[in-house]
Amino acid sequence: MKRAILLAAAVWAGACDYTVPLEEAPAREIDRRVIGRWERTRESGEVDRLLVLPMGPREYLVMYVFPSGMPDALFGRAWPIERDDEPGWVQLHWFGAGRGQVPDADAPIYQVAWYRYEDEELAIRLLNPEVVSPEATTAGELAQAIEENRDHADLFREEAVLTRVEADRPQGD
């Protein structure tokens, strides 16, 4: 039991950055092109896996399996967010892990990402908490911190490029 608690704490500490969302609720339509299974192989040979499913017209269900020695996936919701008519911004809300772990009430459970879809590749960049401080206590403070750092070269972390798992291309899109 103690190991499960430590495992859950490591998941939340390593995966989430903010205790408040940039946007509280979905307001834009999802991009159906990103629905499906995605993978990338790191230089070490370890494989990251991402599953994106629709949860309605404005929200995704996301499952992320990463190679950090964790046997479990992270589960979350994601939705497109408004940022000066600039497409590709997404709010992530991580709510659980594969063995039933859920975050503590005061744990950081949100991330903000930007993505680009092109030629069956999905490039994702997460907002960098070293540039946009995770100390924001409201969505307004987080938005202001992003705006203040908008031109910072390291606003986002390094880009992760994932390739669609060919057999899982959505039908009819």
Side-chain angles (χ1 to χ4, degrees):
M1 179 67 165
K2 184 176 181 179
R3 184 170 185 264
I5 292 169
L6 291 173
L7 181 66
V11 166
W12 304 123
C16 305
D17 300 316
Y18 301 97
T19 57
V20 296
L22 183 57
E23 279 192 10
E24 290 282 342
R28 299 178 76 173
E29 296 288 317
I30 62 172
D31 181 352
R32 297 192 63 82
R33 299 175 303 166
V34 303
I35 294 169
R37 282 194 312 160
W38 303 88
E39 292 183 347
R40 79 168 173 158
T41 302
R42 295 177 184 239
E43 289 181 18
S44 65
E46 296 173 306
V47 178
D48 290 340
R49 292 181 174 89
L50 176 69
L51 173 65
V52 181
L53 299 173
M55 272 186 31
R58 297 175 186 235
E59 197 168 9
Y60 305 101
L61 172 68
V62 178
M63 181 182 77
Y64 179 54
V65 180
F66 49 97
S68 63
M70 303 291 284
D72 297 317
L74 284 179
F75 292 88
R77 302 168 46 218
W79 56 91
I81 55 178
E82 297 281 343
R83 292 297 304 158
D84 302 325
D85 291 328
E86 185 180 336
W89 287 77
V90 177
Q91 174 72 65
L92 294 160
H93 172 198
W94 299 106
F95 58 77
R99 293 189 184 191
Q101 301 100 333
V102 295
D104 292 335
D106 59 347
I109 56 174
Y110 298 102
Q111 286 181 309
V112 176
W114 179 87
Y115 77 91
R116 173 180 45 82
Y117 171 85
E118 187 175 316
D119 298 327
E120 298 302 314
E121 289 187 337
L122 182 62
I124 301 171
R125 299 185 78 189
L126 295 172
L127 195 62
N128 187 348
E130 293 178 11
V131 174
V132 178
S133 173
E135 300 301 316
T137 58
T138 67
E141 286 178 13
L142 183 55
Q144 181 179 349
I146 291 170
E147 189 58 36
E148 288 171 357
N149 291 286
R150 188 171 191 89
D151 296 326
H152 195 289
D154 295 322
L155 178 63
F156 292 97
R157 295 178 186 156
E158 183 177 331
E159 185 173 75
V161 179
L162 296 98
T163 304
R164 183 184 301 280
V165 175
E166 186 65 30
D168 292 337
R169 179 174 283 123
Q171 300 298 314
D173 287 339

